[in-house]
Amino acid sequence: MFSTVEEAIEDLKTGKLIIVTDDEDRENEGDLVGLADLADADMVNFMATHGRGLICMPIDAERAARLDLAPMVGRTTDPLGTAFTVSVDHQSSTTGISAFERAATINALMDDRSTADEFIRPGHLFPLVAKPGGVLVRPGHTEAAVDLARLAGHRPGSVICEIMEEDGTMARLPSLRNTAEKHGLKMLTIRQLIEYRRMHDPLVTREAEAALPTEFGSFRAIGYTERLTGREHIALVMGDIEAAEPVPVRIHSECMTGDVFGSRRCDCGPQLHEALRQISHAGRGILLYMRQEGRGIGLMNKLKAYSLQEAGLDTVEANERLGFPDDLRNYAPAAGILHDLGIDSIILMTNNPRKIAALESAGIRIAGRAPIETGRCPENERYMKTKAEKLGHLLHI
């Protein structure tokens, strides 16, 4: 029923459309996908006629920024986080809605010579911004479409349209299969693309490995470089991680103030040491030390957030005052490291349900959760309460 990723890419290269489906527990939909580089009025008209959904244009963040394609809303309430920008028409358009004019808008958006002032806002073409890292970070049609364009050797941009039935309901399998057979279209799942990228286009590269004796026992230290950002991460591995039982894993985000200097403003340092103790006691396990300081905002911004906290804000309010989300961390590279280590099922040492959800979406099975509550003190009481009440951490407050 489904083609291979390679077969789908070859069809895209010739200007053909393909159908990409996602999981039943997500949108459970199929989208028509074509390369934006090769878009024409026939492609747009086919999508409007046989797809019937909203015609959108997934692009990368760099192109969106260069063309000043700002988010459609300041704060999205879409549960799937689809990153719509303001809609546009090219300045040559009349109404902008015809297949010919929408194709012209697509072509102009993909033209590296185009400038932001060449587009009318709002319009009839809906750009979407894919997350860096693609389907390995977010398993959505937006990311899949941009990944496929890049894998096909084209610039990162595609055209997509949801497939609806004639009665207006969303098309599901096997109806999508019938559509594919009727029009001679290859069909692919996002899960296939994720597996393909893990094998051929991973987020991290293994760089070095060495023994690391510590006060908690002897580990193998394995160094990784994140391909998109150049960030360097480390996996500390103890014992037999290839056994059938799920592996105890702690994913610890860097905290220089807590881990190195013993800051009592947070519980990071005590959590790091407690995780190493628990792994040592079990005789097996993995600690991933991820270089994403300050919940992803960096060391200098974390210090600025500390200053705002001293003025009365809590940790979430301070991040938002600085223009950041409450938590900017990305766990896809951590999942990539676990996949490289051959791990797909873990006992996760965490109090953070967002971490669980992020790893599961990246293909890691969470067989169990081991709480890691430690490091409470008067100086971090408000911080701990904020983590529980605003960030959803599972703490006994």
Side-chain angles (χ1 to χ4, degrees):
M1 177 169 61
F2 295 105
S3 70
T4 67
V5 174
E6 291 88 349
E7 290 170 338
I9 289 173
E10 288 305 312
D11 269 21
L12 287 169
K13 287 179 180 180
T14 67
K16 294 181 180 179
L17 297 176
I18 66 170
I19 296 175
V20 177
T21 69
D22 66 355
D23 292 339
E24 291 185 9
D25 59 356
R26 197 174 181 276
E27 291 180 314
N28 191 18
E29 293 179 359
D31 283 23
L32 292 168
V33 176
L35 298 183
D37 271 351
L38 304 178
D40 57 17
D42 288 340
M43 179 186 290
V44 174
N45 192 48
F46 186 96
M47 287 185 168
T49 303
H50 301 288
R52 305 184 185 88
L54 188 65
I55 298 176
C56 298
M57 184 177 172
I59 55 177
D60 64 347
E62 181 180 356
R63 186 171 300 273
R66 185 175 65 78
L67 296 176
D68 193 25
L69 297 174
M72 183 180 286
V73 295
R75 187 179 182 88
T76 182
T77 56
D78 178 2
L80 296 176
T82 308
F84 280 92
T85 78
V86 61
S87 56
V88 294
D89 290 328
H90 188 252
Q91 62 185 7
S92 63
S93 301
T94 51
T95 65
I97 191 62
S98 73
F100 296 93
E101 290 188 336
R102 277 190 278 184
T105 299
I106 293 166
N107 296 155
L109 286 167
M110 291 305 294
D111 189 336
D112 292 336
R113 298 167 296 180
S114 295
T115 58
D117 57 8
E118 294 179 32
F119 298 92
I120 301 166
R121 299 164 172 81
H124 298 83
L125 199 282
F126 296 85
L128 307 171
V129 182
K131 287 189 175 296
V135 294
L136 297 182
V137 173
R138 179 179 181 269
H141 281 101
T142 301
E143 287 70 25
V146 171
D147 279 357
L148 285 165
R150 185 174 54 79
L151 291 168
H154 285 249
R155 287 172 294 177
S158 290
V159 187
I160 65 174
C161 179
E162 305 99 334
I163 300 175
M164 296 168 55
E165 303 284 12
E166 291 185 4
D167 64 3
T169 60
M170 299 310 299
R172 316 290 186 196
L173 294 174
S175 177
L176 291 170
R177 181 177 67 243
N178 294 335
T179 298
E181 292 175 350
K182 178 180 178 181
H183 298 288
L185 305 178
K186 298 289 194 304
M187 189 157 65
L188 185 72
T189 70
I190 292 177
R191 177 56 53 190
Q192 284 178 273
L193 184 57
I194 291 171
E195 294 303 323
Y196 179 89
R197 283 204 55 202
R198 283 178 185 158
M199 180 69 66
H200 302 286
D201 188 28
L203 284 177
V204 295
T205 302
R206 187 188 290 216
E207 302 282 4
E209 181 174 347
L212 186 70
T214 77
E215 64 177 287
F216 304 100
S218 295
F219 292 83
R220 296 296 298 175
I222 305 173
Y224 290 86
T225 299
E226 195 174 330
R227 295 173 63 187
L228 287 172
T229 65
R231 287 176 177 167
E232 297 172 332
H233 309 294
I234 190 168
L236 299 184
V237 178
M238 175 179 283
D240 179 13
I241 62 171
E242 297 181 358
E245 298 82 5
V247 183
V249 171
R250 168 68 181 170
I251 298 175
H252 189 90
S253 297
E254 177 185 27
C255 176
M256 180 179 287
T257 49
D259 299 340
V260 178
F261 302 121
S263 168
R264 294 169 66 86
R265 299 185 68 133
C266 63
D267 58 340
C268 300
Q271 281 192 320
L272 172 63
H273 297 150
E274 177 60 23
L276 290 169
R277 273 191 290 269
Q278 289 188 21
I279 290 172
S280 177
H281 183 263
R284 64 190 292 264
I286 302 168
L287 185 135
L288 302 186
Y289 196 82
M290 308 301 295
R291 304 296 296 277
Q292 42 189 3
E293 177 78 51
R295 295 203 304 276
I297 67 174
L299 181 59
M300 294 302 109
N301 284 318
K302 184 171 85 168
L303 294 178
K304 293 176 183 177
Y306 278 177
S307 179
L308 291 171
Q309 290 169 39
E310 289 171 358
L313 302 186
D314 64 33
T315 182
V316 169
E317 294 165 343
N319 271 30
E320 292 174 344
R321 177 71 63 85
L322 291 171
F324 297 108
D326 56 22
D327 194 336
L328 199 57
R329 287 176 292 184
N330 176 10
Y331 295 106
I337 292 173
L338 291 174
H339 285 301
D340 181 75
L341 293 170
I343 305 301
D344 58 12
S345 179
I346 66 174
I347 303 294
L348 186 62
M349 291 185 278
T350 188
N351 307 318
N352 185 356
R354 294 189 193 181
K355 191 180 296 186
I356 295 171
L359 291 171
E360 287 180 332
S361 71
I364 301 297
R365 188 174 75 86
I366 310 300
R369 182 183 76 89
I372 186 160
E373 294 192 48
T374 187
R376 294 279 296 278
C377 63
E379 291 88 347
N380 66 24
E381 192 65 32
R382 187 186 185 200
Y383 167 80
M384 300 292 286
K385 186 176 181 181
T386 301
K387 285 214 296 185
E389 295 180 351
K390 291 190 174 183
L391 297 174
H393 285 220
L394 306 173
L395 297 169
H396 294 90
I397 300 295

